[in-house]
Amino acid sequence: MPTEDPRRQLPSVARLVQSARKARPDLPVWAITEAARELLTRARQRITEAAGSPGPPTGLEAVVAAAEERVLPHPRRVVNATGIVLHTNLGRAPLPAGAARAAAEAAAVYSNLELDLATGRRGRRLSAVADKLRQIAAVPGATACNNNAAAVLWVLDTLARGREVIVSRGELVEIGGSFRVPDILERAGVRLVEVGTTNRTHARDYERAIGPDTALLLKVHRSNFTVSGFTKEVSLPELAAIGRGRGLPVVEDLGSGTLVDLSGRGLPKESYAPDRVREGADLVCFSGDKLMGGPQAGIVLGRADLVAALDENPLARALRLDKLSLAALDWCLAALLDGRATTEFPVVRALTTPAEVLAPRARALADALEKSVPASLEIGWEPESARVGGGSLPEVELDTWVVTVRGTPSPEALARELRRAPVPVLARVRDDALRLDVRTFLDGDDALVVDAVVAAARCSADSHQVDSNGRKSC
Ligand SMILES: *Cc1c(COP(=O)(O)O)cnc(C)c1O
């Protein structure tokens, strides 16, 4: 018996839009229309691919939910309860409040961005930031661009285009999927000369590889993994000595660098970027929004003549820092000059707060949850280890405190529901428990977490009741 084509049973875009607008006049037409179109397109495709299947739901409810999703701003606030201080998917470093204000102010007004007010002539966008960087780091040259991947490209294009760059095989890393050292070298028009093996590279490997076409020696911080066992790496001072002997610049891509020495607080000594220049790097570059805790930026420190060459490269214009990030970076550098790193920077605070200070916060959160969640959930609090994350310092673990939630609904169901909260909460699930790590909480997060967990416990139990107007009841 021939059955009717299920595609014919789909409503039209116009009809779907009409009913959704009637049910939810508060939602903008653009969101409803686009949601209806996309839903129907997907339904048609699904029916075609799996002939005879009824396809996904295309009712009022589905359109309203999709339209609601579309009107949400992106990116929007979430609570980071993962304990991963620098979480790439969660936007890495939250800015100090003053830096965020500086960025907002710069965004909304005219400014002297590229004007010298004394002469009335064109001024340099980066001069204030470069001055502060030189002063903080006590280095002869400093500059900045949009991000650290851009900084690496900028340095290679300026110093090595059409020539050879020597890198250890142990440092040909991939960072976050889209940044691979060999690819960026290729894009910069540089010939990569690999030396050593994955686990061992010796000074003589570099020495032997140097030829008439060599432009520079590149050292890349491994950032997101460690090598252990039978290993050998040429240290920066050793590499610098080779470079000096052969008249070649040595560049280090540090990735996660800081402008304050946090080695006394459990972070590795090599993250302190100014010392890398003193240990012999002609240039060192790092991210503004990793360990430094500032805005997205690529910061370059080192020799004044090489920095001048960077600033003169036409590529600098394509990679330049935007005025919002510039204003935030300038504020951060002033705060560092004032010695306010550990008080003002959320990242530095999160990284250096001792576990004893976190324990009462975890306990208070556990108490608040205990009072508000259904009896089917068991609340606890226990010590744990947190990672720095964000492709930064895989070897560094921080002692922390987590609040645990066990029982019904399951930790997985709770975690899923928490991501749908008005302010979504990102937590970990391990050993049959949802784990909320207070190390990465910002001000106000504790109350948001209580609200979200209470609502999630109710929601996942009800599995999303939707009223006749397409509103979720939980
Ligand atoms: C993170 C990282 C980068 C990329 O920096 P972005 O600021 O994300 O552009 C490059 N190199 C290393 C070693 C890194 O760790």
Side-chain angles (χ1 to χ4, degrees):
M1 264 231 326
T3 50
E4 207 206 331
D5 184 345
R7 279 172 297 194
R8 281 171 189 274
Q9 283 164 15
L10 291 174
S12 71
V13 172
R15 227 182 66 217
L16 206 49
V17 169
Q18 195 188 23
S19 54
R21 284 185 69 182
K22 211 161 115 216
R24 291 293 301 277
D26 58 311
L27 286 173
V29 180
W30 62 263
I32 291 177
T33 313
E34 223 18 65
R37 253 198 215 116
E38 196 189 311
L39 223 63
L40 289 172
T41 307
R42 256 191 289 136
R44 251 177 249 117
Q45 267 169 6
R46 197 91 64 82
I47 294 167
T48 312
E49 280 157 17
S53 103
T58 50
L60 175 60
E61 201 178 283
V63 175
V64 165
E68 276 176 339
E69 199 119 311
R70 273 175 191 276
V71 297
L72 292 172
H74 180 95
R76 65 199 159 99
R77 178 176 187 175
V78 304
V79 173
N80 179 2
T82 64
I84 298 172
V85 178
L86 293 164
H87 198 305
T88 299
N89 301 351
L90 304 186
R92 290 196 189 154
L95 283 180
R101 277 195 301 276
E105 167 80 7
V109 296
Y110 293 113
S111 66
N112 63 341
L113 181 65
E114 291 190 358
L115 183 79
D116 181 344
L117 288 170
T119 62
R121 298 220 187 87
R122 194 190 158 101
R124 287 185 48 228
R125 155 187 296 253
L126 283 177
S127 55
V129 150
D131 282 349
K132 289 189 182 77
L133 282 169
R134 279 196 298 269
Q135 193 182 345
I136 293 169
V139 293
T143 189
C145 67
N146 191 275
N147 56 50
N148 188 44
V152 176
L153 178 69
W154 191 18
V155 168
L156 293 172
D157 182 88
T158 307
L159 304 181
R161 194 151 69 105
R163 300 177 63 200
E164 289 174 357
V165 166
I166 302 178
V167 192
S168 160
R169 286 198 174 87
E171 297 172 8
L172 292 173
V173 300
E174 172 178 310
I175 289 135
S178 52
F179 179 90
R180 285 179 157 185
V181 172
D183 295 345
I184 213 97
L185 283 149
E186 193 193 313
R187 281 281 143 181
V190 165
R191 283 197 306 284
L192 166 63
V193 177
E194 303 175 21
V195 295
T197 59
T198 309
N199 57 332
R200 288 173 72 83
T201 303
H202 303 269
R204 61 174 184 273
D205 295 326
Y206 286 95
E207 293 275 13
R208 272 192 214 128
I210 294 173
D213 250 4
T214 307
L216 62 85
L217 310 177
L218 178 65
K219 190 163 183 61
V220 183
H221 194 266
R222 285 195 198 93
S223 287
N224 51 8
F225 71 107
T226 53
V227 289
S228 59
F230 186 53
T231 63
K232 162 83 177 113
E233 178 182 335
V234 177
S235 71
L236 180 61
E238 282 177 89
L239 194 62
I242 297 170
R244 268 196 311 279
R246 309 292 287 261
L248 293 171
V250 171
V251 172
E252 181 170 52
D253 173 13
L254 190 53
S256 223
T258 62
L259 292 169
V260 274
D261 186 356
L262 295 171
S263 57
R265 303 212 173 210
L267 292 171
K269 195 134 190 48
E270 81 258 16
S271 319
Y272 182 48
D275 271 357
R276 306 305 277 173
V277 177
R278 286 186 269 286
E279 284 172 23
D282 293 282
L283 288 178
V284 55
C285 62
F286 60 97
S287 297
D289 57 350
K290 288 187 182 167
L291 268 190
M292 197 194 127
Q296 179 187 303
I299 297 172
V300 188
L301 307 176
R303 262 166 57 184
D305 60 329
L306 300 182
V307 166
L310 288 174
D311 288 339
E312 280 157 26
N313 183 341
L315 199 56
R317 175 67 173 71
L319 306 177
R320 77 181 180 187
L321 202 55
D322 75 285
K323 65 183 179 186
L324 278 66
S325 304
L326 182 66
L329 181 60
D330 186 71
W331 189 96
C332 289
L333 297 177
L336 292 179
L337 284 166
D338 288 346
R340 288 186 279 125
T342 42
T343 51
E344 299 274 1
F345 286 63
V347 164
V348 178
R349 243 182 0 228
L351 289 171
T352 57
T353 304
E356 312 85 85
V357 176
L358 296 173
R361 191 167 188 177
R363 166 142 216 187
L365 177 62
D367 286 348
L369 283 172
E370 183 74 58
K371 286 196 197 94
S372 351
V373 298
S376 63
L377 287 173
E378 183 200 327
I379 308 292
W381 58 300
E382 52 190 64
E384 211 184 82
S385 247
R387 285 187 303 127
V388 176
S392 305
L393 315 178
E395 71 280 25
V396 178
E397 295 218 326
L398 299 167
D399 291 334
T400 190
W401 281 86
V402 297
V403 171
T404 56
V405 186
R406 293 185 165 87
T408 318
S410 72
E412 289 80 11
L414 272 183
R416 196 165 50 240
E417 250 356 281
L418 286 175
R419 289 198 305 272
R420 305 165 57 115
V423 177
V425 175
L426 281 297
R428 271 180 295 137
V429 174
R430 189 167 61 74
D431 296 341
D432 272 334
L434 180 87
R435 293 164 180 273
L436 301 155
D437 191 329
V438 296
R439 177 173 291 280
T440 40
F441 278 20
L442 300 177
D443 289 344
D445 279 355
D446 314 63
L448 291 170
V449 167
V450 174
D451 289 350
V453 173
V454 169
R458 184 156 21 95
C459 264
S460 46
D462 296 357
S463 69
H464 296 291
Q465 302 293 315
V466 178
D467 69 18
S468 58
N469 286 339
R471 266 184 222 275
K472 276 182 239 116
S473 63
C474 62

